[in-house]
Amino acid sequence: MSRLAVPKTYKLYIGGAFPRSESGRTYEVLAADGGFLANAAKASRKDARDAIVAARGSVAGWTGATAYNRGQVLYRIAELLEGRRAQFIAEIEEAEGVTRAAASAQVDEAIDRWVWYAGWADKFAQVTGNANPVAGPYFNISVPEPTGVVAVIVPQDSSLLGFVSAVAPALVAGNAVVAVASERFPLSAISLAEVLATSDVPKGVVNVLTGSPAEIAPWLASHSDVNALDLVGAGDLDWVSLEIDAADTLKRVLRPESGADAAAPALGRIAAFTETKTIWHTKSLR
């Protein structure tokens, strides 16, 4: 007797748990050839709000961790991604209809980018901070601090690499993230959430919503408890309206990017979601 396969149910990832959408809605995720792959949860406004609450609750702990510790935690994610490499390759092959070699290259690049960002965790402050020259017997030091909760619309034309490229830099600086996965290719984002759930990342630091970015993004842009908005993957949306909504609550906004270099690794992507604190301290007169 042949056994029945156990189909996977792809849910949201909020606060370290995997809930279904509160609305109960799902949508079909199709393979490149039009065949059925899975049902994915279709996030609602309430799900977005729950994700923001979870992210806000995690900020103090993640920000308070040492930069070295954050680097260790992020590197552990790369280790787990390496261990599940075959699963991600198979998912990308099916979803995007690319060759195994192309899928392997995407997974390898995603892992390499995660390692690259993890390495910056205890170094970027030295590069982006500064000891400022002042006229007087004072030390004047500028240091970067995380901005808080960052909402991210990830690149929509990539299963895994776009997600990693957009989410990792915000985490390096100590921010918590609410990420809207690719609507067409959401499965690898949820598989990555499973990696996060079994790593050392505190619950709530990363939250993953699947569904329609056009539906979810306005609620993220206008929510007063979101501190910054990365619209890297929002090029097909009315991103100008999103930017206007974000301005009402003084959010920092990164505009959409397109092409093969969208969300390419850069120190500027880490620094984009930091605020600069300047400290004055008297020098000893002895």
Side-chain angles (χ1 to χ4, degrees):
M1 180 178 177
S2 60
R3 64 181 296 274
L4 295 175
V6 181
K8 183 174 179 178
T9 302
Y10 289 83
K11 304 184 183 74
L12 309 174
Y13 183 57
I14 299 174
F18 291 90
R20 292 177 171 82
S21 172
E22 60 83 28
S23 66
R25 299 180 304 167
T26 62
Y27 71 101
E28 289 188 349
V29 179
L30 303 179
D33 61 6
F36 176 80
L37 280 181
N39 287 313
K42 191 170 186 177
S44 67
R45 177 185 182 182
K46 174 65 163 56
D47 296 318
R49 190 163 66 242
D50 290 345
I52 293 167
V53 170
R56 176 56 61 193
S58 73
V59 167
W62 185 238
T63 300
T66 65
Y68 179 73
N69 179 242
R70 281 201 300 273
Q72 288 180 310
V73 170
L74 293 174
Y75 185 79
R76 174 62 178 158
I77 295 169
E79 291 179 337
L80 294 173
L81 278 171
E82 188 75 46
R84 295 175 64 165
R85 183 173 176 273
Q87 174 196 345
F88 283 102
I89 290 171
E91 283 182 343
I92 292 169
E93 267 190 289
E94 270 196 307
E96 298 188 19
V98 298
T99 64
R100 187 166 192 81
S104 298
Q106 182 180 158
V107 174
D108 290 345
E109 180 64 19
I111 295 170
D112 290 349
R113 287 191 185 185
W114 205 286
V115 171
W116 189 84
Y117 276 117
W120 273 110
D122 60 352
K123 302 174 184 69
F124 84 94
Q126 292 95 307
V127 179
T128 59
N130 195 33
N132 307 307
V134 293
Y138 308 101
F139 293 110
N140 182 263
I141 303 170
S142 295
V143 293
E145 293 195 339
T147 192
V149 175
V150 179
V152 181
I153 310 299
V154 310
Q156 296 293 298
D157 56 357
S158 166
S159 297
L160 179 66
L161 183 58
F163 188 95
V164 167
S165 301
V167 170
L171 296 177
V172 170
N175 296 294
V177 172
V178 177
V180 183
S182 168
E183 184 175 14
R184 184 180 173 193
F185 307 125
L187 304 189
S188 290
I190 295 301
S191 293
L192 178 57
E194 294 171 359
V195 168
L196 298 172
T198 55
S199 71
D200 298 323
V201 179
K203 64 181 182 179
V205 169
V206 182
N207 304 273
V208 182
L209 304 176
T210 55
S212 168
E215 179 181 344
I216 304 168
W219 305 119
L220 298 175
S222 61
H223 199 292
S224 61
D225 213 19
V226 173
N227 302 108
L229 186 64
D230 188 349
L231 297 176
V232 60
D236 292 335
L237 306 182
D238 182 5
W239 61 267
V240 174
S241 293
L242 295 175
E243 194 171 30
I244 292 170
D245 289 343
D248 286 339
T249 49
L250 303 180
K251 290 179 180 60
R252 180 169 297 185
V253 178
L254 279 188
R255 291 180 170 179
E257 299 177 29
S258 59
D261 291 333
L267 180 60
R269 293 200 65 82
I270 302 174
F273 299 119
T274 61
E275 307 294 338
T276 300
K277 174 188 282 185
T278 299
I279 302 166
W280 292 76
H281 195 284
T282 55
K283 292 180 180 178
S284 172
L285 298 179
R286 294 181 181 179

